[in-house]
Amino acid sequence: MKYILSSFLLLFGWQLNAQTISGKILEKPDEPLIGASVRWVQNPQNATFTDENGEFEILRNNLQHQLVISYIGYITDSVMAHGDGPFTFYLSPDNQNLEEVVVKSSSTAIDRISPMQTQIITTKELAKAACCNLSESFETNASVSVSYADAITGARQIQMMGLAGKYVQTNIENMPGVRGLSIPFGLSYVPGTWIQSIDVAKGVSSVINGYESMSGAINVELQKPDLAERLYANAYVNEVGRGELNLNAAKKLNDKWSVGLLTHASALKNEVDRNGDSFMDLPTYDQINVLNRWKYSGERFMGQVGINYLNENREGGEIVNPVLSRSSYRFLNKTQKFTAFSKTAILFPETPYRGLGLIMNASFLDGNSQFGLNNYDSKENSFYANLIYQDIFGNTQHTYKTGLSFLADQYDEAFDNFGDALLLKRNEIVPGAFFEYTYNKLDKTILVAGLRADAHNLFGLQITPRLHLKQDLGASTVMRLSVGKGMRVPTPLAENYGKLVSSRKVELLDAIQPEYSWNFGGSITQSFGKNSLILDAYHSLFTSQQIMDMETPGSLLFYQSFDKSYATSAQAELILVPSDRWEVKAAWRLLDVKQTMKTDDGGTRLVDKPFVPRSFALLNVGYAMPYNKWKADATLQYRGKQRLPGSDERIDGFVTLNTQLSRNFVNWEYYLGVENLTNFRQSNPIINPQNPFDQAFDAGQIWGPVVGRMVYAGARFRIR
């Protein structure tokens, strides 16, 4: 604990921030351009993008006063920016000029400069659904799928390219987010109204962010105190009684200091049992979540410091029936989490390509769960630090980033229905170093080569190489290729939390070992006007993988496999903006995900990974009236056949439909929506609910919606 406590104290010694200038990019009054690129003429690699209101903020450069503004389908312009702003700039449409930085629809931007295939989800895209938390933020995104919550715990995870969210490096502002013991409910710990934007990148990420990215990376940017509305409130309620209240406040105290407060409270207290199996379809819960952050603006420094506290209580399982001659099967969970972070940088105005930054994050999680007769207690103390220095070789065409990192995790788990509790306790201490070189020729050819070395106290030296290439093929076509290695250490019970709701005997057949994989693939992005077509294919090949095996009734096994396991994903996505009022997104994805599992006779066999659809399709259509007074959105999803554990049987595919209608006023917005309008529900989501303490009882085989159709309504209020 010494290294955690001492590092935690250092968090409050860094509270400096650089001066910035701000502004807004418009096509015409009241019509902002979302995702426009803004950058200094002589510092193109540090571009920023406008948000859903067309607003931007960029670090001041005392040696430059000329900004370049570019946007797909518009004439690139250079403008003079003296002073602090805020400035207002206008761009003119030009359908012949397609050399801008991003491909844009009204709600989604595609980063054309990034060597990784990256899609930016803005708050306008998030507003297409209720988006109560991060787990519900991907309903209109084709690349990220969210698993359905089981009826007992409500835990949800994402999937990307056929692999579970544990293989996706999910960060909050480039700091560790959903990982370790936070995996079961970590997505629900980030309220949707706190989110400013979400970057979704496919393939392995930069070595700067660590070694854990194996199939993609997600970075969530939260509302900043100097850019957010002065006051933002959101109230939400649905037909089963789930209610949420969010209140965000931000204030610029003076030209140097700003402060922000993000709050969230939600609860569901009704016991809902629509399928009549005497088990709640949703757990009851209550959550309080508060984040406070401060920013200070100096001349040569940048930084901010913040703290986040969360408290959540969940209860699910069998509805108490006094007629029963036995006790009821109950699920309980109480979680408290505290996080503190600091982000600082030293700037060199005379040489704007040079910089030194430090990110630090400390988190403490305490969870207590009960699954029927079994208790599961979990504690995690983590500390993360990343020191980054960037500079050039000769000129800005050749840049590099190098630095040192430090990661410390302390896990303490105890589960009653488990053989050896000592296998679940471990301390990981991982100092590391990295170097990344970037060759950038006029933003048309970008090559990024990175290498990191980490000295893991339990598993020795870890070498992680990664390579990314981005090449423009003419004015409207971009090709990307990537290859790299990923490594992670699993936390099996947390990662399979929903599978613990059963009477299966949990066994860890092998000691916990790292998982290793190589990911390689690429994409082609074709732009035509404001529209785009994206084709991509990626393959993840595991050289070591921990297998979760529930093929045998009554057993939940974990063991290490060094045999063939892989995930192949191919996707086509079409984004259309036929007019200023309409936007259409259509996508189709094919998956081939297999893993080698043990058989009863002591052999092995390569089988389809259970609960992974072979195909996925999405269609999203949005319409907005002038000035966005009325907005209507509909999202249709199709999930193909999935294999169930214990057999080669595959359940048929199914369709769900979500819709929402919203009305905007000057400061108010009201919305009404329906989730799962088709009312599709998984039949018998709980196996043998009449005998929950029998060996055949299992509530962990969820592949579809449990609740069915859900109507919701809400209101948003903002003062800019």
Side-chain angles (χ1 to χ4, degrees):
M1 286 295 292
K2 286 185 178 180
Y3 64 85
I4 295 177
L5 293 175
S6 60
S7 302
F8 172 75
L9 293 175
L10 290 175
L11 292 173
F12 300 97
W14 296 76
Q15 300 181 0
L16 298 173
N17 189 12
Q19 289 186 343
T20 60
I21 67 172
S22 60
K24 179 178 288 190
I25 310 300
L26 307 171
E27 177 183 357
K28 58 184 69 172
D30 297 323
E31 291 197 14
L33 296 179
I34 305 168
S37 169
V38 182
R39 52 185 175 166
W40 296 108
V41 170
Q42 298 178 8
N43 195 20
Q45 69 270 23
N46 288 332
T48 187
F49 298 93
T50 54
D51 62 15
E52 75 281 0
N53 300 313
E55 298 175 349
F56 71 90
E57 182 184 44
I58 191 169
L59 292 175
R60 178 198 299 278
N61 190 322
N62 292 333
L63 299 183
Q64 298 187 46
H65 299 281
Q66 191 173 15
L67 290 170
V68 175
I69 305 171
S70 54
Y71 194 66
I72 188 70
Y74 292 76
I75 299 174
T76 298
D77 196 6
S78 60
V79 297
M80 302 304 294
H82 300 283
D84 298 332
F87 302 97
T88 300
F89 303 119
Y90 292 87
L91 289 185
S92 301
D94 181 2
N95 292 330
Q96 302 304 314
N97 186 1
L98 298 176
E99 297 184 3
E100 287 76 6
V101 176
V102 294
V103 180
K104 177 259 182 188
S105 74
S106 295
S107 305
T108 304
I110 300 169
D111 190 342
R112 288 196 63 184
I113 288 182
S114 172
M116 293 193 302
Q117 182 188 339
T118 303
Q119 193 172 73
I120 305 168
I121 303 174
T122 68
T123 54
K124 197 166 187 177
E125 178 79 5
L126 298 176
K128 289 183 176 181
C131 187
C132 296
N133 55 59
L134 183 58
S135 72
E136 297 164 319
S137 299
F138 302 103
E139 294 296 334
T140 61
N141 185 271
S143 298
V144 181
S145 301
V146 181
S147 64
Y148 289 101
D150 66 88
I152 308 297
T153 71
R156 307 181 77 181
Q157 289 194 44
I158 60 172
Q159 285 186 356
M160 183 184 289
M161 299 189 297
L163 293 176
K166 60 186 179 181
Y167 298 111
V168 180
Q169 188 172 37
T170 303
N171 287 342
I172 308 297
E173 298 189 352
N174 293 313
M175 296 176 288
V178 184
R179 63 182 297 274
L181 302 187
S182 294
I183 285 180
F185 304 110
L187 295 173
S188 66
Y189 293 164
V190 184
T193 56
W194 292 13
I195 299 173
Q196 176 179 289
S197 63
I198 305 173
D199 296 348
V200 179
K202 287 188 173 181
V204 291
S205 67
S206 166
V207 295
I208 295 171
N209 294 323
Y211 50 78
E212 291 184 331
S213 171
M214 301 177 81
S215 67
I218 293 175
N219 184 58
V220 181
E221 290 292 331
L222 303 182
Q223 298 290 342
K224 307 299 189 295
D226 53 340
L227 295 178
E229 293 96 347
R230 287 185 294 160
L231 182 66
Y232 179 94
N234 175 72
Y236 164 96
V237 65
N238 65 21
E239 65 176 287
V240 299
R242 175 182 172 185
E244 303 207 356
L245 181 63
N246 301 276
L247 183 64
N248 302 342
K251 183 175 179 58
K252 276 194 161 186
L253 302 177
N254 51 46
D255 61 345
K256 295 183 181 293
W257 284 94
S258 59
V259 61
L261 180 67
L262 307 177
T263 67
H264 168 87
S266 60
L268 171 62
K269 295 302 180 182
N270 294 334
E271 295 184 342
V272 180
D273 180 19
R274 289 183 169 180
N275 58 12
D277 61 2
S278 298
F279 274 76
M280 286 185 278
D281 298 334
L282 295 166
T284 61
Y285 82 100
D286 58 79
Q287 181 188 121
I288 297 294
N289 202 346
V290 181
L291 186 149
N292 176 226
R293 69 195 305 172
W294 294 74
K295 246 183 144 178
Y296 173 79
S297 296
E299 184 65 31
R300 292 175 174 267
F301 302 92
M302 65 175 295
Q304 51 191 305
V305 64
I307 56 174
N308 177 209
Y309 172 75
L310 173 135
N311 184 89
E312 184 180 78
N313 301 291
R314 290 176 177 249
E315 184 172 355
E318 199 171 12
I319 297 175
V320 177
N321 187 345
V323 178
L324 290 176
S325 58
R326 57 170 174 79
S327 59
S328 300
Y329 186 99
R330 304 295 288 177
F331 160 75
L332 301 173
N333 173 261
K334 295 182 179 181
T335 298
Q336 291 190 76
K337 185 177 183 182
F338 177 80
T339 304
F341 65 89
S342 174
K343 302 171 65 177
T344 62
I346 301 174
L347 303 179
F348 303 88
E350 299 80 7
T351 52
Y353 47 78
R354 181 175 297 133
L356 178 66
L358 175 65
I359 299 174
M360 293 192 292
N361 176 284
S363 64
F364 310 89
L365 182 146
D366 187 0
N368 303 103
S369 302
Q370 178 183 333
F371 300 90
L373 302 177
N374 299 313
N375 293 317
Y376 172 49
D377 297 325
S378 58
K379 290 180 173 59
E380 177 185 355
N381 299 318
S382 294
F383 175 74
Y384 169 82
N386 203 16
L387 180 67
I388 309 167
Y389 175 76
Q390 70 173 35
D391 209 332
I392 64 172
F393 290 124
N395 57 57
T396 55
Q397 197 173 72
H398 305 274
T399 63
Y400 68 89
K401 294 181 180 179
T402 187
L404 302 172
S405 66
F406 181 77
L407 178 65
D409 292 318
Q410 185 180 70
Y411 297 109
D412 187 353
E413 300 175 87
F415 184 52
D416 289 345
N417 189 17
F418 190 77
D420 188 354
L422 292 177
L423 294 174
L424 300 176
K425 297 182 179 182
R426 68 182 189 274
N427 296 330
E428 298 182 34
I429 302 176
V430 192
F434 56 86
F435 182 87
E436 184 177 81
Y437 164 76
T438 300
Y439 170 75
N440 186 335
K441 184 177 181 181
L442 303 175
D443 294 337
K444 299 182 182 298
T445 301
I446 301 178
L447 175 68
V448 180
L451 181 70
R452 67 174 299 125
D454 296 274
H456 200 292
N457 66 312
L458 299 180
F459 305 111
L461 182 65
Q462 306 293 323
I463 303 296
T464 306
R466 290 174 185 173
L467 183 68
H468 299 85
L469 173 66
K470 177 255 183 184
Q471 178 65 55
D472 286 8
L473 306 176
S476 58
T477 306
V478 179
M479 177 191 70
R480 290 178 175 84
L481 299 172
S482 69
V483 61
K485 182 182 179 182
M487 171 267 191
R488 65 180 298 274
V489 181
T491 52
L493 297 188
E495 294 165 7
N496 299 277
Y497 191 86
K499 304 296 187 291
L500 302 180
V501 189
S502 69
S503 293
R504 294 173 179 266
K505 178 65 175 178
V506 181
E507 295 184 73
L508 188 62
L509 301 184
D510 299 318
I512 292 178
Q513 302 176 52
E515 295 182 292
Y516 297 100
S517 73
W518 285 87
N519 179 279
F520 49 91
S523 67
I524 295 287
T525 301
Q526 177 67 47
S527 307
F528 41 101
K530 297 181 181 180
N531 313 303
S532 62
L533 173 65
I534 309 166
L535 305 175
D536 66 63
Y538 290 89
H539 180 75
S540 296
L541 178 64
F542 286 88
T543 57
S544 174
Q545 184 181 33
Q546 186 183 79
I547 303 296
M548 184 276 294
D549 186 342
M550 52 189 305
E551 303 293 319
T552 303
S555 296
L556 179 60
L557 308 177
F558 297 96
Y559 51 83
Q560 206 75 10
S561 173
F562 301 95
D563 295 317
K564 188 175 184 180
S565 293
Y566 65 86
T568 303
S569 168
Q571 179 173 301
E573 181 176 4
L574 181 64
I575 301 175
L576 299 175
V577 187
S579 71
D580 291 340
R581 302 301 163 208
W582 288 93
E583 55 180 301
V584 179
K585 184 190 303 180
W588 180 266
R589 180 171 68 240
L590 294 175
L591 295 172
D592 180 21
V593 184
K594 287 185 167 59
Q595 57 186 15
T596 298
M597 307 186 73
K598 295 181 178 181
T599 59
D600 293 338
D601 59 5
T604 61
R605 67 173 187 145
L606 186 68
V607 298
D608 287 339
K609 187 176 178 63
F611 308 118
V612 177
R614 294 296 302 270
S615 58
F616 173 84
L618 178 142
L619 176 64
N620 173 257
V621 180
Y623 174 77
M625 295 185 68
Y627 305 103
N628 290 325
K629 287 184 177 180
W630 286 94
K631 293 185 295 184
D633 291 281
T635 303
L636 186 74
Q637 290 189 7
Y638 167 77
R639 296 179 188 242
K641 293 185 176 183
Q642 307 174 45
R643 186 181 77 85
L644 298 180
S647 70
D648 292 327
E649 175 190 358
R650 289 172 173 79
I651 55 120
D652 293 332
F654 60 91
V655 173
T656 59
L657 175 64
N658 298 337
T659 63
Q660 181 176 282
L661 179 68
S662 60
R663 175 67 165 95
N664 278 304
F665 295 91
V666 176
N667 298 111
W668 286 91
E669 179 181 2
Y670 301 93
Y671 55 92
L672 175 68
V674 183
E675 296 178 351
N676 193 8
L677 186 60
T678 56
N679 200 33
F680 178 84
R681 290 189 293 177
Q682 177 181 341
S683 59
N684 303 319
I686 300 177
I687 299 173
N688 196 23
Q690 300 82 13
N691 302 290
F693 299 102
D694 184 80
Q695 191 177 26
F697 170 75
D698 192 352
Q701 299 198 38
I702 302 299
W703 48 263
V706 175
V707 179
R709 184 183 298 114
M710 185 73 67
V711 179
Y712 65 86
R716 304 182 180 103
F717 173 78
R718 52 172 57 90
I719 299 177
R720 300 191 184 281

